[in-house]
Amino acid sequence: MGFSKRTALEEARRCPQCAGSECVKACPIKVNIPGFIRSVRENNTGEALEIIKESNCFPSVCGRICSAPCEKACVLKKEDAPVAIRALERFAADYGKQRSPNIRKENNGKRIAVIGGGPSGLFAAYKLAKKGYRVTVFESLEKPGGVLRYGVPEFRLPKKVLDSDISDIKAHGVTVMTNCFFGQTVDLEGLKKEGFNAFILATGAATPKFLDIPGVNLAGVYYGEEFLMRVNLMKASFFSRQLTAFPLGKRIAVIGSGNTALDCARSALRLGREVTLVFKNTEQEMRVRTIERKYAKEEGIKFEPLTRPAEVLSDDKNFVRGLRCVRMDYAEDASGKWKLEEVPSSQFEVKADTVVIAVGHVPNSNIKMFLPGLELDTDGSVVVDAETGETSLTGIFAAGNVVTNAQPLVNALAAGDSIAKGIEQYLVGVKNE
């Protein structure tokens, strides 16, 4: 629910305002954390928000779903009580926000096209617009936001919150064109003829990794990204019990231990389903924040750790009827290292009529269909110059998960910031600092 004013002020007073600012060093986009917390402590939330927005155009979003590496670097972490920086950022964004005026920098005559309206693309567009470039974002779906809109459930990130941050980005002069599929609705040569001087590929990493076990092609099997997009597109409300717009059983098994898997499980629970989360590691090894794991268990999701899915079971109509699993445990090998091994005779069945596979994702490499000379790495990510972010095609840059494969939100934002500097270097010869 976020901090109340009293709780926020008390938490802000815990910040030691240390000279070293290890929290700032750990933040990929270098938000002035001591500065905005000091303003919160002085009961000036408007000023706190302005300090955040000097570095981050997504304060409301990051205040809710950032992985918060700053908190891990907080000096109070040694006492196991780091300052709740993420929650304070959310407080500043929620209570310090005013209607954003149009803040358009004088046009410098250069035009930049951003392909993909996700966090990295929007962040780069924002940074470039602040420097006077005319930036247009081309988004293939109905609304901008990318994974923030279609891959994060409503209970974690309300769409009105995302829309508010995107509105502020547009206020700086960024134009967003939706329902524009690059390569078909618009193409490179056409955009060049329109006068665009440089291009940013920010198409993300929304292609799911496939699981190589029998039965994954049965009716009733979904992949994590697909499942979340379906839930978001049908506009399911918080704790909705409405009928879903796609076939969904009463008992759902979710395979995976990351944020996507946990989001799928918690979304399914809010649709009134019984949910079991299956993953091969321990709970402590889950790639999620401890508090969110705690919430999931409190909400009623059943955890099956140290469990490997072996087969999706079929009924006589080729629909899912269950998930056969094998128990795992750590064993010491000859070299003295611990590794996971199957427990003999430990097969069991998880009752399920729907299975959601959320074991990771890879970059969207479909862009190569429309840019044949684009160089890709073996995992499908776009190869770029380490300093400038330029691809193998002159004047075309790439940023975000299409380059890094899979990174937290704040790293995608940092990539957008970095690519903006690379674009400027390309267009006006200004070297990176």
Side-chain angles (χ1 to χ4, degrees), residues 394-417:
T394 303
I396 299 180
F397 297 72
N401 282 348
V402 74
V403 175
T404 57
N405 197 336
Q407 291 287 329
L409 167 64
V410 70
N411 295 83
L413 301 185
D417 188 19

Side-chain angles (χ1 to χ4, degrees), residues 172-191:
H172 283 78
V174 175
T175 300
V176 178
M177 303 290 291
T178 56
N179 296 310
C180 287
F181 192 96
F182 180 77
Q184 295 185 358
T185 312
V186 295
D187 59 26
L188 182 63
E189 293 306 316
L191 292 176

Side-chain angles (χ1 to χ4, degrees), residues 241-254:
R241 293 296 186 268
Q242 69 187 60
L243 291 175
T244 56
F246 59 100
L248 194 63
K250 292 295 184 183
R251 294 176 296 193
I252 300 178
V254 180

Side-chain angles (χ1 to χ4, degrees), residues 197-254:
N197 306 103
F199 304 83
I200 298 175
L201 304 179
T203 50
T207 303
K209 287 183 180 178
F210 298 105
L211 194 62
D212 187 19
I213 61 173
V216 293
N217 59 339
L218 294 173
V221 175
Y222 300 93
Y223 281 86
E225 291 76 9
E226 170 200 9
F227 180 82
L228 290 174
M229 178 173 279
R230 286 175 179 269
V231 170
N232 279 307
L233 285 174
M234 76 180 193
K235 299 177 175 61
S237 60
F238 191 76
F239 282 111
S240 171
R241 293 296 186 268
Q242 69 187 60
L243 291 175
T244 56
F246 59 100
L248 194 63
K250 292 295 184 183
R251 294 176 296 193
I252 300 178
V254 180

Side-chain angles (χ1 to χ4, degrees), residues 79-146:
E79 303 172 14
D80 202 27
V83 176
I85 299 169
R86 185 176 75 166
L88 289 174
E89 182 175 18
R90 172 178 173 175
F91 174 81
D94 288 351
Y95 292 92
K97 189 176 287 289
Q98 299 174 348
R99 175 172 288 185
S100 296
N102 288 333
I103 313 169
R104 297 172 183 265
K105 189 85 171 179
E106 185 177 348
N107 180 16
N108 64 16
K110 301 290 178 66
R111 299 185 69 188
I112 299 167
V114 179
I115 313 303
S120 186
L122 288 172
F123 199 90
Y126 168 78
K127 288 290 185 177
L128 289 163
K130 287 181 69 176
K131 296 179 180 181
Y133 294 95
R134 290 177 60 194
V135 187
T136 302
V137 176
F138 295 92
E139 168 57 46
S140 63
L141 295 173
E142 181 185 9
K143 292 184 179 181

